[in-house]
Amino acid sequence: MEELFVKKSKKLMCIISLLLTMFSCVNMQSVFAEEDYTWDSVPYGGGGYVTGLVFHPQEENLVYIRTDIGGAYRWDQERNRWIALCDMFSLNDANLYGVDGLAVDPTDSNTVYICAGKYRSNKAVDYGMHIEGKSEYPACDVLKSTDRGNTWEATGLKVEFNGNGPNRNFGECIAVDPKNGNNVYVFSRDNELYYSPDAAENWEKLNGFPNIPVLGNENGEQAGYARNIVIDEASEKNGSCNRIFAGVYGGYGVYESNDMGKTWVNITGEDGPKSPTSMKLSNDGKSLYVAASNGVYLYRNSEWKNITPSTAVQYNGIDIDKNDNNIIYVSRTVGDDGRLFHGHIFKTKDGGETWEDLYASAKRMNTISWWPDRNFFANTSSVSVNPFNSSEVWITDWYGVWKTPDVNQESQTIWRNDIEGLENTVAFCAISFPEGGPKLMVGNADNDGAVWSDINEYPDYRITGSFDTTDTNELDFCEESPNIVVRASGNGTYGRYAYSMDYGKTWTQFSNFPKDDKGNNLLSGRVSISAGINKDTGYPTVFIMPVKSGGYYSTDMGKTWNECEGEPENL
């Protein structure tokens, strides 16, 4: 009888835990349907990839940024904060929060374009980010605003974009003729070039652009090698600029057109960059500077010159001082340890003959307390010089935006992360504690998660540990002792469940964990914890459900595990 009772108890415990886990995922809309709530964003402070920044060349302080999953933003100089421009999109159009490219109309300060599409169309449908019959916009499209991004209209191009896909940090895939705002050019993720002669009212495919194969990965993401369009403003003829450069990653190089994109010639040759990531052209059109996967290049008088400032690794952002075309800035993606953190920014005053490493004298002015030291020049996507103030330089990276007001300051350059209003994290889960504990704990992608005592302010601290977790997939706390919290973490790696005894300030990884047939820890999945403390052990009971596995429970905080019985397989 005792053995039978133990087996039934184990089954009951696992079934109850499973039901609780499933219940936590239930849509609670019907429960709260009769209540009126006012919703607002909880300030987190950046945290996601800012993939590009664009200054308007004719109006001071008009600056836009794009992000991979958080939409586009416009800088508010008076309030020193960013204004979200994509909050108008409903959940039915959630795919539009991924911005693959951004361009302003140099002839009209009110007009801005975005290449909207976090994932390509069929994936957006699969992920529930585009709902046929309910979505107001196409899953992917070039969107146009004539009021600086306050409202958007679909232009009907309906080609594929992948703002959260590979190469999203390479230049801009859309450009507007600086002499004629009616001429708009855009590359889609299938490497095809499109042109509008009437400010995106109508579109046509420019069939003269070479056929570049489309490559993808197992997730259906398209690499999109054609990522850069640069228009020569000095090539105006009959009211339009005729000369255009296109940068194509993946070994294809740089292409040039002298007839508004009708025909193209590959000018890369033996000495040019085979995989350009970003390009900028001097005011007079005589010097094309290119950041690439293996260095930095200059194209002048039909000849290429390698002007790489240091190690021949990948460089992403590049810009030219509009007031002095001999001053160039370029960002190196990796740090001294070869990782995508603490990258370097280089400056030349003589067109690339000699370089100064600005990182060596850089000092961070971090405005977000939870940001770790590595959130500085991390996988830098762009570097931009203010066209109205050559001393002011901006960079964008994995976590936000950094700006120096005086890049020429001797001995030390101060970089500040002005990111108020920029919210670009992916929240996977959240818990709210009873009175006496913090207000909120959130688990999210890339940054582990954070804890708030005041949800109107930035987080008090980040939930991290001595072990690298990156993502937090699920959180739970013990009702009897709310300071005891468990988490399921891991970015495609094995295990990484942990617990905290102090509301997430410190974490301890479970000392033991169920293993697969090869002896590897099972892949992190779901976790929950009992409401009460077990009187015999002095601990609550922890229940876990690894990916494609049955459930397990532990009564000693992960030292030993018991497999549940009677559950469906491969949950």
Side-chain angles (χ1 to χ4, degrees), residues 119-342:
Y119 304 105
R120 60 191 179 94
S121 301
N122 64 333
K123 285 296 178 181
V125 173
D126 292 344
Y127 296 155
M129 295 183 176
H130 179 80
I131 312 298
E132 297 292 345
K134 294 183 178 180
S135 295
E136 183 179 351
Y137 297 84
C140 296
D141 200 2
V142 172
L143 303 184
K144 178 182 179 180
S145 173
T146 55
D147 55 12
R148 305 185 179 211
N150 293 323
T151 59
W152 298 96
E153 294 183 0
T155 66
L157 181 58
K158 298 181 183 179
V159 294
E160 301 297 342
F161 296 115
N162 197 179
N164 195 33
N167 307 336
R168 61 193 184 275
N169 54 339
F170 292 175
E172 299 298 340
C173 62
I174 183 170
V176 181
D177 189 328
K179 300 298 183 180
N180 185 342
N182 287 320
N183 298 326
V184 185
Y185 301 84
V186 60
F187 275 119
S188 66
R189 279 285 176 158
D190 54 13
N191 299 321
E192 293 182 338
L193 181 60
Y194 295 85
Y195 165 70
S196 172
D198 49 17
E201 289 293 324
N202 297 280
W203 294 95
E204 61 184 84
K205 181 181 174 182
L206 295 178
N207 292 312
F209 189 76
N211 179 32
I212 308 295
V214 179
L215 300 179
N217 59 24
E218 66 275 10
N219 297 321
E221 296 173 320
Q222 292 175 308
Y225 288 145
R227 296 290 301 157
N228 281 273
I229 304 175
V230 176
I231 302 174
D232 181 5
E233 61 180 309
S235 66
E236 180 184 1
K237 183 179 180 181
N238 299 324
S240 296
C241 295
N242 282 257
R243 190 181 184 213
I244 307 171
F245 293 94
V248 186
Y249 194 75
Y252 295 95
V254 180
Y255 293 80
E256 180 181 4
S257 171
N258 286 286
D259 53 12
M260 297 179 63
K262 296 181 179 65
T263 60
W264 294 84
V265 176
N266 190 317
I267 61 172
T268 312
E270 293 295 325
D271 300 323
K274 305 302 188 295
S275 292
T277 58
S278 185
M279 309 190 306
K280 290 295 172 66
L281 191 64
S282 61
N283 297 340
D284 59 9
K286 295 181 179 180
S287 301
L288 178 69
Y289 291 90
V290 181
S293 63
N294 64 336
V296 183
Y297 294 81
L298 166 63
Y299 184 70
R300 182 186 292 160
N301 298 324
S302 301
E303 294 183 355
W304 287 99
K305 182 179 181 180
N306 189 323
I307 57 171
T308 304
S310 66
T311 312
V313 294
Q314 181 163 305
Y315 292 75
N316 270 4
I318 193 166
D319 202 12
I320 303 173
D321 186 341
K322 298 300 181 184
N323 301 302
D324 185 346
N325 283 185
N326 286 314
I327 298 178
I328 318 295
Y329 296 86
V330 66
S331 62
R332 194 182 78 192
T333 307
V334 299
D336 294 330
D337 60 358
R339 301 183 68 198
L340 295 174
F341 301 99
H342 297 285

Side-chain angles (χ1 to χ4, degrees), residues 358-473:
L358 298 182
Y359 181 80
S361 61
K363 180 182 179 181
R364 291 192 313 160
M365 184 179 289
N366 186 5
T367 63
I368 309 298
S369 61
W370 67 266
W371 274 32
D373 179 66
R374 72 180 187 178
N375 286 23
F376 184 55
F377 293 3
N379 198 13
T380 304
S381 54
S382 72
V383 56
S384 304
V385 188
N386 187 335
F388 297 91
N389 179 6
S390 297
S391 296
E392 187 179 277
V393 178
W394 303 50
I395 71 102
T396 61
D397 69 2
W398 253 347
Y399 301 100
V401 181
W402 293 89
K403 176 177 67 175
T404 178
D406 187 2
V407 74
N408 301 310
Q409 184 173 341
E410 294 184 7
S411 72
Q412 195 171 69
T413 306
I414 308 299
W415 295 84
R416 174 186 169 95
N417 54 345
D418 282 327
I419 59 171
E420 185 176 350
L422 171 58
E423 300 296 338
N424 191 32
T425 55
V426 178
F428 287 152
C429 53
I431 54 177
S432 182
F433 296 96
E435 188 175 351
K439 293 288 186 183
L440 178 69
M441 179 183 290
V442 170
N444 61 270
D446 301 327
N447 296 289
D448 292 309
V451 176
W452 286 256
S453 59
D454 184 346
I455 59 173
N456 296 307
E457 302 293 337
Y458 288 130
D460 298 82
Y461 51 89
R462 179 185 176 202
I463 57 170
T464 187
S466 58
F467 48 94
D468 188 12
T469 58
T470 307
D471 296 346
T472 297
N473 308 320

